[in-house]
């Protein structure tokens, strides 16, 4: 592996780990607040899948970095400006409709990204992705069912679902951006060219939203910055909570 | 003469061959004592997460594959593997995690499936899958009364590997081990 590719792969694995840990943590916030017990448990399970995925990406990143850092250092010892996750994933959990709409947007995205990443020439990335592909099928089905149920539900649930879609839509454009790092990896058969997945994603998400009687928003605004470390204020608050124990007791093991 | 048709899936056959041909067959046998902490009727062999056992000098190298990305049982399993081998006199144990190929519920042994059913958990083949190949909304076979008149209560059960069903005939709720 050349130095340039190695550095890019380290950055890429970190981004994927950041995406997974941030969303995994956000949805874990529903645990004990779910609308009913089974849903509480379902969110806990989905959250675990994401956190597990984050661990595998961070473990690989730590190996590539080879500077003594561990997966825990990646998760717990970096500040918001060091995080490279998509902004969509760090938004606060909002109401249940907001969380489920976000989940749908993300789950459909990963259902397209992961099968491609599973073809990566990088064996580790491919292995982590292949493992996650199977789990994602279950995630997508659940978030799709919920968005159907909420959108095509009561007047109140429809209103909240539409509002969530309108509020989150501008954060989805960033998912399909390519920068030099990602382009280099895509050109070398390691990373996924996400810009090519946009139409498919739009088609699939639109079909689900339409079926749920939700209006698909126009592309009128877009916010970017997650991949370069410019985050919304929400991430800082989230990390404070997520990292407090580890930062207070560095190196502590359960 | 009649042709013998094997009912064992190829993957199972390969695993069995690997185990039977292993130079350290006794180590595989020792590890039969290590059970999934969340489903104690399944050994790590039955579950299919035990991928390889080798002896490297004086240390035992055990290769395992996680079931789900975030399966919290993996850490416990690793320490149980170490403890079991230590007990048998092997002091140095190295646990390797192998991610590829990704674990599949197809790897579960026939004995494991039987144990699972007797324990009250429907194994993957006790449900006809939906079009997408995922857990159906109904008709997984009840492990208590064998009725197919059942319905899915929750897609995600008490652990990531299970969904929750209820039987309409005997009214008992039961876990179904998801196909993945």
């Amino acid at each position: 592996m050349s130095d340039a590719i190695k550095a890019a792969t380290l950055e890429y694995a970190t981004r994927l780990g950041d995406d997974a840990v941030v969303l995994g943590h956000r949805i874990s916030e529903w645990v004990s607040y779910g609308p009913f017990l089974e849903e509480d448990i379902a969110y806990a399970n989905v959250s675990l899948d994401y956190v597990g995925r984050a661990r595998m990406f961070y473990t690989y990143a730590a190996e590539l970095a080879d500077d003594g850092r561990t997966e825990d250092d990646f998760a717990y010892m970096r500040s918001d400006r060091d995080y490279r996750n998509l902004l969509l994933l760090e938004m606060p959990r909002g109401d249940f409709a907001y969380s489920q709409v976000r989940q749908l947007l993300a789950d459909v995205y990963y259902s397209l990204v992961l099968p491609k990443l599973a073809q990566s020439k990088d064996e580790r990335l491919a292995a982590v992705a292949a493992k996650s592909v199977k789990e994602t099928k279950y995630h997508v089905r659940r978030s799709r069912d919920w968005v159907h149920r909420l959108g095509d539900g009561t007047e109140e649930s429809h209103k909240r679902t539409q509002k969530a879609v309108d509020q989150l839509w501008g954060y989805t454009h960033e998912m399909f951006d390519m920068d030099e790092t990602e382009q280099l990896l895509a050109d070398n058969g390691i990373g996924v060219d996400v810009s090519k997945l946009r139409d498919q994603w739009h088609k699939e998400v639109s079909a689900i939203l339409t079926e749920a009687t939700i209006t698909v928003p126009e592309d009128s605004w877009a916010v970017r910055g997650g991949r370069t470390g410019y985050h919304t204020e929400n991430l800082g608050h989230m990390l404070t909570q997520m990292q407090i124990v580890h930062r207070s007791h560095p190196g502590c093991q359960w | 003469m009649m042709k013998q048709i094997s009912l064992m899936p190829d993957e199972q056959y390969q695993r069995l061959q690997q185990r039977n041909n292993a130079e350290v067959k006794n180590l595989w046998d020792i590890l039969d004592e290590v059970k999934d902490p969340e489903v104690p009727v399944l050994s790590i062999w039955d579950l299919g997460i035990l991928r390889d056992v080798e002896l490297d000098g004086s240390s035992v190298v055990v290769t395992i594959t996680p079931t789900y990305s975030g399966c919290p049982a993996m850490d416990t399993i690793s320490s149980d593997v170490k403890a079991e081998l230590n007990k048998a006199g092997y002091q140095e144990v190295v646990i390797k995690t192998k991610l590829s190929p990704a674990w599949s519920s197809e790897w579960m042994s026939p004995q494991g499936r039987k144990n699972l059913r007797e324990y009250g958990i429907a194994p993957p083949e006790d449900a006809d899958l939906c079009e997408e190949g995922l857990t159906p909304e109904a008709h997984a076979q009840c492990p208590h009364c064998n009725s197919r008149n059942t319905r899915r209560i929750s897609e995600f059960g008490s652990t990531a590997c299970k969904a929750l069903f209820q039987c309409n005939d005997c009214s008992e709720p039961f876990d179904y081990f998801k196909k993945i």
Side-chain angles (χ1 to χ4, degrees):
Chain A
M1 202 189 284
S2 78
D3 285 352
I5 296 282
K6 192 174 173 181
T9 307
L10 166 57
E11 167 71 17
Y12 194 56
T14 309
R15 290 179 185 189
L16 293 167
D18 290 348
D19 281 355
V21 83
V22 167
L23 184 57
H25 187 83
R26 270 292 180 236
I27 51 191
S28 77
E29 292 175 354
W30 274 104
V31 173
S32 84
Y33 291 99
F36 44 82
L37 182 63
E38 287 79 9
E39 195 45 42
D40 219 87
I41 294 167
Y43 246 148
N45 274 311
V46 177
S47 169
L48 261 181
D49 286 344
Y50 273 96
V51 173
R53 196 187 300 179
R55 288 189 63 181
M56 294 193 280
F57 282 127
Y58 282 154
T59 302
Y60 186 37
E63 280 173 34
L64 289 169
D66 194 24
D67 54 8
R69 280 185 295 170
T70 67
E71 51 167 306
D72 281 352
D73 293 316
F74 277 81
Y76 297 122
M77 299 305 281
R78 290 183 305 137
S79 302
D80 56 345
R81 282 297 300 271
D82 302 322
Y83 264 73
R84 292 292 181 268
N85 60 281
L86 297 164
L87 297 177
L88 173 75
L89 311 178
E90 74 193 37
M91 302 310 282
R93 69 174 181 269
D95 60 19
F96 192 66
Y98 187 90
S99 271
Q100 286 295 359
V101 167
R102 183 238 306 274
Q103 203 60 37
L104 176 75
L105 303 175
D107 286 340
V108 173
Y109 177 70
Y110 289 114
S111 77
L112 299 174
V113 171
L114 293 170
K116 299 258 184 242
L117 189 61
Q119 307 295 317
S120 171
K121 283 183 185 163
D122 185 298
E123 283 177 16
R124 275 292 276 287
L125 293 177
V128 178
K131 171 130 231 85
S132 310
V133 164
K134 297 177 172 191
E135 294 158 3
T136 300
K137 283 186 188 159
Y138 285 96
H139 300 169
V140 174
R141 181 164 76 165
R142 172 171 164 276
S143 50
R144 184 191 61 201
D145 287 355
W146 264 114
V147 170
H148 277 158
R149 194 166 162 186
L150 293 167
D152 196 13
T154 64
E155 200 180 316
E156 178 71 15
S157 72
H158 174 87
K159 195 177 82 189
R160 290 189 186 215
T161 309
Q162 182 68 60
K163 190 175 164 196
V165 172
D166 294 340
Q167 287 182 343
L168 289 168
W169 200 255
Y171 292 96
T172 62
H173 306 282
E174 189 185 37
M175 299 197 288
F176 306 99
D177 287 347
M178 294 288 287
D179 66 1
E180 277 179 22
T181 301
E182 299 206 9
Q183 197 60 55
L184 174 72
L185 293 177
D187 291 346
N188 282 278
I190 295 169
V192 178
D193 187 343
V194 284
S195 66
K196 291 184 179 149
L197 301 177
R198 193 188 174 108
D199 291 347
Q200 184 67 23
W201 178 87
H202 195 281
K203 200 176 116 193
E204 288 186 23
V205 167
S206 300
I208 295 166
L209 292 179
T210 306
E211 215 175 321
T213 72
I214 296 294
T215 308
V216 181
E218 297 287 322
D219 291 334
S220 55
W221 56 280
V223 189
R224 296 181 156 87
R227 293 292 193 227
T228 45
Y230 289 92
H231 293 278
T232 67
E233 67 173 297
N234 305 296
L235 183 66
H237 292 287
M238 194 200 99
L239 290 182
T240 310
Q241 241 185 12
M242 192 182 100
Q243 299 180 332
I244 178 73
V245 175
H246 191 86
R247 288 203 186 230
S248 309
H249 306 277
C252 175
Q253 298 280 325
W254 289 109
Chain B
M1 224 164 83
M2 258 176 71
K3 256 191 179 171
Q4 290 290 317
I5 300 171
S6 168
L7 292 175
M8 189 179 276
D10 192 48
E11 169 70 37
Q12 284 297 333
Y13 179 73
Q14 301 290 349
R15 287 189 70 220
L16 210 53
Q17 287 292 96
Q18 183 192 5
R19 176 172 178 162
N20 289 336
N21 295 335
E23 285 177 21
V24 286
K25 200 168 173 302
N26 62 316
L27 295 180
W28 289 78
D29 295 344
I30 290 168
L31 292 177
D32 278 340
E33 291 306 311
V34 181
K35 312 291 182 194
D36 180 334
E38 283 164 345
V39 191
V41 289
L42 289 183
S43 69
I44 54 174
W45 161 263
D46 287 328
L47 197 51
I49 62 176
L50 180 60
R51 305 299 294 159
D52 204 4
V53 187
E54 293 160 293
L55 200 56
D56 180 14
S58 60
S59 71
V60 184
V61 183
V62 180
T63 307
I64 54 178
T65 294
T67 52
Y68 281 74
S69 300
C71 179
M74 293 310 288
D75 287 339
T76 310
I77 288 172
S78 296
S79 48
D80 289 352
V81 165
K82 279 187 187 151
E84 203 59 46
L85 287 166
N86 288 162
K87 208 168 76 185
Y90 297 89
Q91 294 313 315
E92 289 170 55
V93 181
V94 179
I95 311 278
K96 277 193 191 165
T97 305
K98 189 175 177 225
L99 295 178
S100 179
W103 178 83
S104 157
S105 46
E106 298 290 302
W107 294 358
M108 213 187 296
S109 74
Q111 185 62 41
R113 290 163 199 270
K114 189 170 165 281
N115 293 353
L116 213 51
R117 199 175 283 124
E118 285 167 3
Y119 187 61
I121 299 174
E125 69 271 23
D126 285 9
D128 295 321
L129 304 176
C130 75
E131 285 169 19
E132 297 158 278
L134 308 177
T135 314
E137 280 182 22
H139 310 311
Q141 190 171 0
C142 172
H144 307 294
C145 72
N146 295 324
S147 167
R148 285 270 179 181
N149 180 19
T150 64
R151 65 184 191 283
R152 191 177 76 209
I153 305 289
S154 177
E155 174 108 70
F156 294 87
S158 52
T159 60
C161 49
K162 288 176 281 177
L164 185 64
F165 275 76
Q166 185 167 17
C167 180
N168 296 326
D169 284 335
C170 72
S171 298
E172 285 290 325
F174 64 92
D175 274 333
Y176 159 74
F177 203 103
K178 279 189 282 194
K179 186 179 164 65
I180 194 165

